Amino acid sequence: GKSGFVVPVGDHTAMGNCVATLFKDRCLRRRCGERAREIAIEKFNVDQVAKATGDFYEHVLDAWAQRQQDARV
C-alpha cells in the first residue's frame, strides 16, 4: 500500500506478514510513514477537525430542536 496495509479483521497471520514486510523493507516503511503523515496532516488539521466538530454539533442541535417541535404538536 501507499500509506499502509489493509488486512481482514481477525487475520493475525496477514497482520504479522505485513508487519514483517515493513520490518524487512526500510524504504517501504519510510514511504508508508511519509504518506501516512501527509494524509494525517491533510485530513486532521485543526481547521478540518474544528469544522467537522461544529457541523456535528449543529446537526445534533437541529435534530434535538426538531424533536422538541414535534413533541409540541
Side-chain angles (χ1 to χ4, degrees):
K2 292 183 180 183
S3 62
F5 296 96
V6 176
V7 296
V9 174
D11 190 339
H12 306 291
T13 301
M15 182 67 156
N17 289 338
C18 290
V19 170
T21 297
L22 289 171
F23 183 76
K24 293 175 190 174
D25 190 335
R26 183 175 188 230
C27 291
L28 177 62
R29 190 170 60 240
R30 176 169 284 156
R31 281 193 316 269
C32 284
E34 288 171 354
R35 183 61 187 135
R37 184 174 190 279
E38 290 170 4
I39 292 168
I41 289 169
E42 289 170 13
K43 293 189 177 216
F44 302 108
N45 67 56
V46 172
D47 294 332
Q48 296 274 359
V49 172
K51 181 176 179 345
T53 302
D55 291 348
F56 170 77
Y57 280 111
E58 185 176 331
H59 173 77
V60 168
L61 290 173
D62 287 346
W64 178 81
Q66 183 63 49
R67 281 196 303 275
Q68 293 297 316
Q69 189 174 29
D70 292 346
R72 290 185 196 134
V73 174

